[in-house]
Amino acid sequence: MSCPPYARPLDLRDGRVDLGHGAGGRAMQQLIAQLFARAFDNSELGRGDDGAVLPAPAPGERLVMATDGHVVSPLFFPGGDIGSLSVHGTVNDLAVMGARPLWLAAGFILEEGFPLADLARIVASMAGAARAAGVRIVTGDTKVVEQGKGDGVFITTTGIGALPAGRDPGGARARPGDAVLVSGTLGDHGMAIMAQREALGFESAIVSDSAALHGLVETLYAAVPAEAIHVLRDPTRGGLASTLNEIATQSGVGMMLDERAIPVAPQVQAACELLGLDPLNVANEGKLVVICATESAEAALAALRAHPLGAAAARIGEVSADSRCFVQLRTTLGGRRMVDWLAGEQLPRIC
Amino acid sequence: MKYVDAFRDGALAAGLAQAIAREVEPGRDYAFMEFCGGHTHAISRYGVADLLPRTVRLIHGPGCPVCVLPVGRIDMAIRLALARPEVTLCTYADCLRIPASDGLSLLKARARGADVRMVYSAADALALAERMPEREVVFFAIGFETTTPPTARVIELAAQRGLANFSVICNHVLTPPAIEALLAAPAADSPGRPRLAGILGPAHVSVIIGSAPYAFAATRHHMPVVITGFEPLDVMQAVRMLVRQVNEGRAEVENEYTRAVTPEGNRKAQALIDAVLAPRPQFDWRGLGSLPASALRIRPAFAAWDAEVKFGLEDRPVPDHKSCACAAILCGAKAPTDCKLFGTACTPETPLGACMVSSEGACAAHYNYGRFRDPAGA
C-alpha cells in the first residue's frame, strides 16, 4: 500500500459505518487497509488480492474446511465478543475434526450507522483470538446493509485446517461401550449471553467459555492412540443434549448419562433454575465432547484435566446399543429420563 | 446448589421410596392427580415415577395454563395482531407456539408481519409500552393465580401513569373451579378416567391463594389433597402423605409446602387481584368445557386497559383438532400415548395440540423425558 488513495485517516473514534464502506470504492478500500489489514497483519491479506495463495499440506495430510456464521446479541458479553467468538467457532469446528487450524476467511456484514470504534474493538478481538490460536485471517469480504436491515455486525468465518494422517474422528463412529467425556462445565456461554440481555435484568457473574479448543485436542491426541478417539464435537447451539443426540443418530446407538457426573457451574445452574431452562440444552463455545474407546477413557480424561481448558473435565456416561438412538440420563434422584433434542428455540417456562 | 440440591438428594429419595413402598397396601390402587403442570414437568424430569411402587400412579391434570387455553383466545390475539399494524402483541414464550386456527400460531403470525414479541414478565410488557409511545402494546396475559398478581399490578400501574397505549387480553384462570369441575363430573362423562384417590395440590398457585380454598375437595368430595412444592422430594413426600390419608380413610387438605404456603395465602396479592380483576360469568377451558366463575376479566373501572373492550375483540369458540386427544388427556382419561397423533403428526417441533406445546404439558413431558418407556415401534 505505497499509494493510498485517501487523504485523511479513518475516524475510528467517532466515525460510523456508512453504505460507502461496502460499495467497493475508496471508502471500502480505506476500511480494509486501515482496519482489517492492519489488525490481521499478515502477508497473504496484505497483498490486497481477491484471494489468498496458500501452501499445500504436508504429504499424508488432508485438508479440512469449515464455515460458521455469527449473529450473537449482545455483540459484547462477559468473556468475549462476536469477534473472538467468530474465530473460536470456526477454529473449533476444525479442531473437532481432528485438524490443526491454519487459515481463516472472514466475511463481514455491517449495518449502516454502526460505530467504527465498536467495529475496531471487534476486529482487534478477532486478531487477538486468531494470533492466540495460531491461525491467520488471510482473506475476507465486507458488505454494508441499510440501517434496520442488520443487527450491527454479522461475521462469517471459513477455516481451513490440516488433518494429520491416522486421525479420523466422526459422528458416525460411536460404538456401544465407548466412554462419553466432556471437557468442563456446561451452559456457560448461553447463560452469559442470556444474563446480558436487557429483558432479563438480573445481575450475574457468569462468563462465557468462548475459547479455541485445538490445543486441547492436540493434548488429547498426544495422550491416547488416534484410533481410540471415535468422536469429537463442540456442543454449541442446542447444548450437550442436541450434540449427543446428533452423534447417537449418526452412529445408530444410544447413550446413558449420569446426571451427578455432569459438571455445571453453580451460578449457571441457579440461572437455569430461575428461567426454567435445562443446562444440557444451553450453548457452549469452549467445551469439547469426546467419545472414545473405554480402555482409553481414563488416559483421555487425565489428558483433558492436565490442560487449562479441561481442568473440570468429567466422564459423564457411556454409549449403549439402542436401535431408537435414545440419549438417557440417570437423574440425581435415582430415576431415569430421556435427554432429547432441543425442540425449536429454548424458551423459559411461564411459572 | 444451596436450598435446591437438598430437595433432589438421591439418598433421601431412595429412603422415601422405601418408606412409600412399605406403606402402600396390597390390592389398593393409588391414582393421584398432579393438578399442576409444574409437577408433571418435575416428575418427568427427575424420573420420580421410577421410584414409586407400581400401584401408585401419577396422573396429569389440567393445571398447565397453555394446555387449557382454548384456541379461540389465541385466534383473538392473532386476529388483532394481524389486523392492526399499530399493535405490538407481547406474551410469555410458551404462548407463541400454541396452534391456532388456519395453521397459524403467534409465531407464524409474526412471520406474516405481525409485531409479536416474547416477554419474560408483565412488567416487561408495560416497560415496552412506555418505551414505544407510538405503538399500541397489548399484553396477552395467561396463567393461573400464580401469574395473575403481576398482570393486575401492571394494569394498576398503567392506570396510575395514564398510559394510554397499553392494554391487556386477560386469560387468567382459577384453580378451585377447575378442581371442582373434575371432582363433580360423573365418571360417565369422562370414560377412561381412573377413580382418583387424591390430588397433589399446586405449589405456586397456593402461595397466592393459600390452602384454605381447597377445603371443598375434602369436605364435599371426600378427596384427600396435599399441597406440595415442585422439587422431586416434595412430590415424593406428598405422595407419602396421600398414601397415608388413603390408608387411614381420611380426606383432608394437608400442606407439604409449608415453607411457602399458609392457609390464608398472600392477602396483599389477593387484594390486588380483587381490585383490578373480577370473575367472568363463564369461561371455556380446553378439556373441561365452559365453567362458571372460573376465569378473570378486567373490571370496568380499568376498561381503558382492557384490550377486549378497547379493540372490540370477539371471543369465537373453535373446536379442537378432530383427532387431538388433549381434552381427554387433561382430565386424566387418556395417556399421551393413547392419542393417535402422539409422536407422529404431533411432536414438540410440530405441535397439533396444546399439551405438546408447553414443557409442562403432559404430552411434551412424556415426549421429551419419558419416551424410552414406550414399547419399541410405538
Side-chain angles (χ1 to χ4, degrees):
Chain A
M1 299 279 172
S2 54
C3 310
Y6 18 81
R8 290 163 52 184
L10 198 63
D11 182 0
L12 288 176
R13 207 185 68 173
D14 299 318
R16 286 180 179 268
V17 170
D18 62 47
L19 290 172
H21 288 123
R26 186 177 289 143
M28 188 172 107
Q29 190 56 36
Q30 185 177 21
L31 185 73
I32 292 169
Q34 295 187 354
L35 183 58
F36 297 128
R38 200 172 282 174
F40 300 152
D41 187 27
N42 59 71
S43 55
E44 289 88 350
L45 189 64
R47 282 168 57 153
D49 288 334
D50 283 353
V53 180
L54 306 169
E61 287 189 341
R62 288 163 292 166
L63 291 177
V64 178
M65 185 174 174
T67 191
D68 207 350
H70 300 272
V71 294
V72 65
S73 172
L75 297 170
F76 301 94
F77 48 84
D81 55 66
I82 190 171
S84 53
L85 192 67
S86 71
V87 171
H88 295 155
T90 296
V91 163
N92 291 349
D93 284 348
L94 296 171
V96 296
M97 296 297 294
R100 286 195 313 267
L102 296 172
W103 304 294
L104 293 182
F108 291 84
I109 295 175
L110 310 174
E111 187 183 2
E112 180 186 21
F114 189 70
L116 285 176
D118 284 349
L119 182 60
R121 262 178 83 189
I122 289 166
V123 169
S125 168
M126 275 182 90
R131 261 195 308 279
V135 296
R136 282 183 285 177
I137 299 169
V138 291
T139 186
D141 180 53
T142 309
K143 296 282 188 301
V144 178
V145 293
E146 287 169 38
Q147 204 157 57
K149 293 189 173 174
D151 199 8
V153 180
F154 300 139
I155 304 175
T156 297
T157 48
T158 301
I160 292 178
L163 183 66
R167 294 185 188 181
D168 194 22
R173 290 194 53 214
R175 294 289 170 265
D178 283 356
V180 183
L181 318 179
V182 293
S183 66
T185 54
L186 297 170
D188 300 19
H189 175 74
M191 288 318 298
I193 296 285
M194 241 180 269
Q196 283 298 304
R197 289 198 178 145
E198 187 187 1
L200 219 55
F202 63 74
E203 296 283 322
S204 161
I206 303 171
V207 174
S208 167
D209 59 348
S210 182
L213 293 168
H214 59 301
L216 190 63
V217 169
E218 291 302 321
T219 305
L220 188 65
Y221 272 108
V224 297
E227 63 274 13
I229 297 171
H230 296 168
V231 189
L232 296 174
R233 279 283 158 89
D234 59 332
T236 53
R237 275 175 309 162
L240 181 73
S242 288
T243 295
L244 293 185
N245 274 285
E246 258 173 49
I247 297 168
T249 306
Q250 278 181 276
S251 294
V253 296
M255 291 184 203
M256 181 58 78
L257 311 178
D258 177 3
E259 189 173 23
R260 281 170 305 183
I262 299 176
V264 179
Q267 59 271 35
V268 170
Q269 183 73 50
C272 283
E273 289 292 330
L274 196 69
L275 295 171
L277 306 178
D278 187 339
L280 302 186
N281 289 137
V282 179
N284 311 275
E285 287 293 345
K287 292 295 162 7
L288 183 67
V289 171
V290 180
I291 294 182
C292 64
T294 190
E295 57 272 19
S296 294
E298 287 313 307
L301 190 61
L304 292 177
R305 285 181 175 164
H307 191 281
L309 291 178
R315 183 174 180 170
I316 61 166
E318 69 173 37
V319 177
S320 58
D322 181 351
S323 60
R324 292 190 289 180
C325 306
F326 286 162
V327 177
Q328 297 183 48
L329 178 79
R330 288 207 182 284
T331 69
T332 51
L333 200 73
R336 199 150 60 109
R337 68 144 157 122
M338 281 178 59
V339 177
D340 211 358
W341 297 84
L342 178 62
E345 198 185 345
Q346 163 121 300
L347 300 174
R349 282 157 57 200
I350 290 177
C351 62
Chain B
M1 202 175 14
K2 212 176 168 187
Y3 308 125
V4 172
D5 289 345
F7 294 99
R8 298 172 189 175
D9 183 284
L12 283 177
L16 203 43
Q18 281 171 9
I20 293 169
R22 276 197 303 273
E23 288 184 37
V24 295
E25 292 178 356
R28 231 192 237 278
D29 185 43
Y30 301 85
F32 300 141
M33 175 175 276
E34 79 270 9
F35 177 84
C36 201
H39 287 133
T40 305
H41 185 87
I43 289 162
S44 306
R45 180 168 174 186
Y46 296 99
V48 172
D50 291 338
L51 299 170
L52 298 176
R54 223 177 283 170
T55 51
V56 174
R57 291 184 297 142
L58 297 177
I59 295 149
H60 175 80
C64 162
V66 169
C67 302
V68 296
L69 189 74
V71 170
R73 302 294 294 182
I74 290 284
D75 281 355
M76 178 197 282
I78 290 175
R79 278 197 303 269
L80 173 68
L82 284 173
R84 309 283 290 245
E86 74 276 23
V87 164
T88 295
L89 191 107
C90 38
T91 188
Y92 298 119
D94 277 356
C95 298
L96 298 178
R97 298 200 304 132
I98 304 176
S101 302
D102 306 322
L104 284 174
S105 63
L106 282 167
L107 266 188
K108 288 179 179 165
R110 181 158 85 181
R112 291 192 183 184
D115 184 4
V116 175
R117 303 190 193 185
M118 180 188 88
V119 289
Y120 292 94
S121 69
D124 286 351
L126 186 76
L128 200 60
E130 288 180 311
R131 274 207 312 275
M132 306 192 307
E134 75 288 359
R135 306 279 306 157
E136 278 290 345
V137 174
V138 179
F139 177 51
F140 187 78
I142 174 178
F144 283 86
E145 290 88 338
T146 318
T147 52
T148 309
T151 301
R153 178 65 180 148
V154 292
I155 294 170
E156 191 183 59
L157 282 174
Q160 283 168 8
R161 295 173 191 173
L163 201 62
N165 69 324
F166 178 74
S167 57
V168 172
I169 300 177
C170 182
N171 303 290
H172 287 293
V173 286
L174 302 169
T175 303
I179 293 182
E180 169 69 36
L182 266 173
L183 297 181
D189 285 356
S190 29
R193 202 175 84 194
R195 220 177 133 259
L196 292 184
I199 291 178
L200 294 157
H204 295 161
V205 164
S206 307
V207 171
I208 306 296
I209 67 172
S211 58
Y214 304 102
F216 73 91
T219 53
R220 240 183 0 252
H221 301 284
H222 198 73
M223 182 59 63
V225 177
V226 175
I227 292 156
T228 182
F230 286 133
E231 292 300 327
L233 282 183
D234 283 321
V235 173
M236 291 182 71
Q237 176 62 21
V239 165
R240 187 183 190 188
M241 292 164 76
L242 282 174
V243 165
R244 281 184 182 172
Q245 284 205 43
V246 171
N247 290 350
E248 293 165 13
R250 287 185 291 123
E252 296 167 15
V253 177
E254 292 184 305
N255 182 11
E256 183 278 339
Y257 199 34
T258 49
R259 62 189 188 276
V261 171
T262 59
E264 70 278 5
N266 183 334
R267 289 256 166 84
K268 201 172 162 188
Q270 292 165 21
L272 175 66
I273 294 171
D274 194 45
V276 179
L277 307 172
R280 292 175 187 265
Q282 292 283 329
F283 193 75
D284 272 338
W285 289 59
R286 189 177 252 214
L288 299 177
S290 180
L291 302 181
S294 63
L296 299 170
R297 64 177 171 78
I298 297 167
R299 285 190 184 277
F302 296 91
W305 294 275
D306 184 344
E308 288 180 68
V309 176
K310 187 174 186 176
F311 299 101
L313 302 180
E314 207 185 324
D315 193 350
R316 297 181 209 151
V318 180
D320 290 335
H321 189 290
K322 270 187 196 152
S323 307
C324 174
C326 275
I329 290 165
L330 287 167
C331 305
K334 281 189 175 175
T337 45
D338 295 333
C339 178
K340 279 189 281 188
L341 305 175
F342 178 81
T344 53
C346 186
T347 67
E349 286 78 19
T350 56
L352 291 178
C355 297
M356 191 59 98
V357 174
S358 162
S359 62
E360 299 183 5
C363 294
H366 184 71
Y367 191 93
N368 289 327
Y369 296 129
R371 233 153 66 240
F372 69 91
R373 291 194 181 87
D374 302 338

